[in-house]
Amino acid sequence: MTIDQFKFAGKKAIVRVDFNVPLDENGKITDDTRIRGALPTLKKILADGGALIIMSHMGKPKGKVNPKLSLGQIQNAVADALGTTVKFAPDCAKAQDAAAALKPGDVLLLENLRFYPEEEGKPVGIDKEDPAYDEAKKAMKASQKEFAKTLASYADCYVMDAFGTAHRKHASTAVIADYFDTEHKMLGYLMEKEVKAVDNVLSNIKRPFVAIMGGSKVSSKIGIIENLLGKVDKLILCGGMTYTFAKAHGGEIGNSIVELDKLDVALGVEELAKKNGVELVLGTDSVVADAFSNDANTKVVPSNAIPEGWEGLDAGPDTRKKFQAAIKGAKTILWNGPAGVFEFDNFTAGSRAIGEAVAEATSEGAFSLIGGGDSVACVNKFGLADQVSYISTGGGALLEAIEGKVLPGVAAILGEK
Ligand code: AMP
């Protein structure tokens, strides 16, 4: 079934969205990209005369109630975005009555799904090494099914629109789909759009294909980095992982972020790039700081000669030029992860240089795909959002899809392709 074909009039739709939005210390939303991303689906269902049950996770409460991660904090923001009142169910697994009372046009927001360990389906409080772990896991999988069944019981149909968590086989992203027949489950507009954007990149690669991978660590991105080395013409590696590469070559990196147990991984990446004929582009100089703070003293030094007491927090001017030159002329671009600690205004230059080069290449005909909360926050911060081709709401999900994996949240609706 597709969202355009389904007749929502008089029906209750349970919609899995990704409302895992960043909040400040007062519980105020600092970036509402994800809420805006879900609006086309939610508004369509209401406009058709359906009732909405909206469910999401927020943060990592690890199966426990945590008021700081309550979706109650965003109830009003969701109401404002939808232009209608939104009711709140403070216990997502006990919302039967609230769901039953919904009339066409009504909206019910469920509390954070991850307040229940069943959502993720991982046993809590037991170590993987424990002999009782397998038994606990089995029991948890059974209660995960029950939890998914309860959620399913609230509604007539299920809409999966949470691309950000589509790479997880959770109760609300995949297991719940077992309780609806194919005529009563569908992808939402955001999912449709995201899946199409990935297809666009993978099936229609125009070269040169340049990928930019940044962020803090090489370990969390090694899978996609290795995979991309089989697809791209150039790979720019930036951000914190720069220093693991510098260290692997015996460089002095001061207090910069480093993964000492991943030095061989870094060398392996370089070898694979060489073998595959991919141009690997790494920074040569860094803006270093004498503290991890926006107000720290700074200077520019080679990335492999950082003095003790200093740490690399951004790409230096030569590196920025090098990155911009590598992006120029690209026809397909994938960007995930910032080139520095962009959260500090004084360390945004590297990410800004990349953003501007991506925007320029896009204006010259490249298809540019930006994914991952931080890179998206960057393009928003620099006012470049409307100058790139596609901004994905997914980080991990986008990268897994680019790797060519079928996402569980997609498979749950469309089947394994
Ligand atoms: P990730 O979650 O791995 O994509 O990493 C994103 C984070 O990497 C952001 O919060 C950045 O502040 C951080 N980051 C980028 N460059 C550096 C750096 N040179 N040192 C420390 N953290 C960094």
Side-chain angles (χ1 to χ4, degrees):
M1 180 51 66
T2 72
I3 183 164
D4 277 328
Q5 289 165 345
F6 192 80
K7 306 266 179 290
F8 288 99
K11 297 276 194 276
K12 288 171 193 154
I14 188 158
V15 187
R16 175 56 154 105
V17 295
D18 181 2
F19 281 176
N20 183 25
V21 288
L23 302 177
D24 66 14
E25 58 281 4
N26 302 315
K28 257 194 84 186
I29 297 169
T30 54
D31 183 352
D32 67 350
T33 307
R34 287 177 165 160
I35 294 182
R36 284 187 282 115
L39 288 181
T41 292
L42 302 178
K43 285 188 167 169
K44 146 90 179 163
I45 294 168
L46 291 179
D48 281 5
L52 276 179
I53 300 150
I54 304 174
M55 58 177 174
S56 177
H57 76 284
M58 179 182 275
K60 293 181 175 158
K62 305 224 160 90
K64 287 204 199 88
V65 174
N66 176 349
K68 286 210 173 102
L69 298 173
S70 171
L71 284 171
Q73 298 171 98
I74 67 164
Q75 181 182 1
N76 290 339
V78 176
D80 287 347
L82 283 173
T84 186
T85 42
V86 170
K87 297 183 185 107
F88 183 63
D91 185 335
C92 65
K94 297 199 175 79
Q96 289 84 352
D97 293 346
L102 293 175
K103 303 266 179 311
D106 285 352
V107 183
L108 177 67
L109 174 65
L110 303 185
E111 180 56 290
N112 195 340
L113 296 159
R114 290 194 191 164
F115 285 180
Y116 281 88
E118 284 83 358
E119 165 62 1
E120 295 182 78
K122 273 189 260 159
V124 272
I126 179 159
D127 204 78
K128 270 199 176 133
E129 311 302 316
D130 195 310
Y133 182 82
D134 284 350
E135 228 15 73
K137 193 169 164 196
K138 231 200 242 156
M140 176 51 85
K141 287 287 165 205
S143 48
Q144 183 183 48
K145 281 187 184 164
E146 282 308 308
F147 180 69
K149 195 173 166 187
T150 301
L151 297 172
S153 73
Y154 301 159
D156 303 298
C157 63
Y158 167 62
V159 183
M160 169 57 183
D161 212 20
F163 184 70
T165 40
H167 58 318
R168 307 280 182 221
K169 196 170 179 189
H170 291 170
S172 67
T173 58
V175 182
I176 187 174
D178 290 344
Y179 300 96
F180 295 92
D181 63 34
T182 52
E183 296 306 304
H184 293 85
K185 57 185 168 190
M186 64 214 86
L187 298 178
Y189 287 128
L190 178 64
M191 284 289 295
E192 283 185 349
K193 222 168 61 168
E194 297 270 10
V195 169
K196 214 169 119 201
V198 171
D199 273 357
N200 202 350
V201 167
L202 289 185
S203 62
N204 185 25
I205 297 175
K206 296 207 181 73
R207 295 190 180 275
F209 180 4
V210 179
I212 307 138
M213 301 296 293
S216 54
K217 292 178 182 164
V218 65
S219 56
S220 58
K221 305 224 165 129
I222 185 65
I224 181 76
I225 288 174
E226 286 174 350
N227 190 278
L228 285 171
L229 286 172
K231 293 192 168 85
V232 301
D233 300 291
K234 294 182 201 175
L235 178 63
I236 296 174
L237 293 180
C238 54
M241 61 180 112
T242 307
Y243 307 103
T244 299
F245 282 82
K247 185 80 186 171
H249 288 285
E252 299 293 336
I253 58 163
N255 296 346
S256 306
I257 189 169
V258 65
E259 290 174 285
L260 290 174
D261 58 339
K262 294 288 176 292
L263 303 183
D264 54 336
V265 171
L267 295 175
V269 165
E270 292 180 353
E271 228 163 79
L272 186 60
K274 208 180 277 167
K275 186 169 148 235
N276 290 1
V278 172
E279 186 188 335
L280 195 62
V281 186
L282 278 155
T284 48
D285 61 349
S286 291
V287 178
V288 296
D290 60 359
F292 189 79
S293 153
N294 190 44
D295 307 319
N297 295 307
T298 63
K299 57 182 176 180
V300 174
V301 299
S303 299
N304 59 3
I306 300 176
E308 252 335 290
W310 294 77
E311 58 191 302
L313 295 188
D314 199 5
D318 288 346
T319 298
R320 301 198 291 263
K321 276 194 213 121
K322 198 174 163 195
F323 288 173
Q324 292 199 298
I327 294 166
K328 197 170 171 53
K331 286 287 172 268
T332 304
I333 302 170
L334 171 71
W335 179 21
N336 173 275
V341 184
F342 77 102
E343 295 93 334
F344 296 152
D345 284 342
N346 292 333
F347 300 97
T348 54
S351 303
R352 186 185 292 272
I354 290 174
E356 287 171 353
V358 171
E360 195 183 318
T362 310
S363 75
E364 288 164 4
F367 181 84
S368 52
L369 176 54
I370 321 291
D374 287 321
S375 343
V376 175
C378 279
V379 288
N380 285 335
K381 186 166 179 159
F382 308 144
L384 297 169
D386 56 358
Q387 296 173 53
V388 297
S389 310
Y390 189 77
I391 296 184
S392 173
T393 54
L398 175 75
L399 298 183
E400 288 196 17
I402 296 275
E403 281 185 51
K405 292 186 186 156
V406 181
L407 305 177
V410 176
I413 306 290
L414 305 179
E416 303 277 346
K417 269 192 284 185

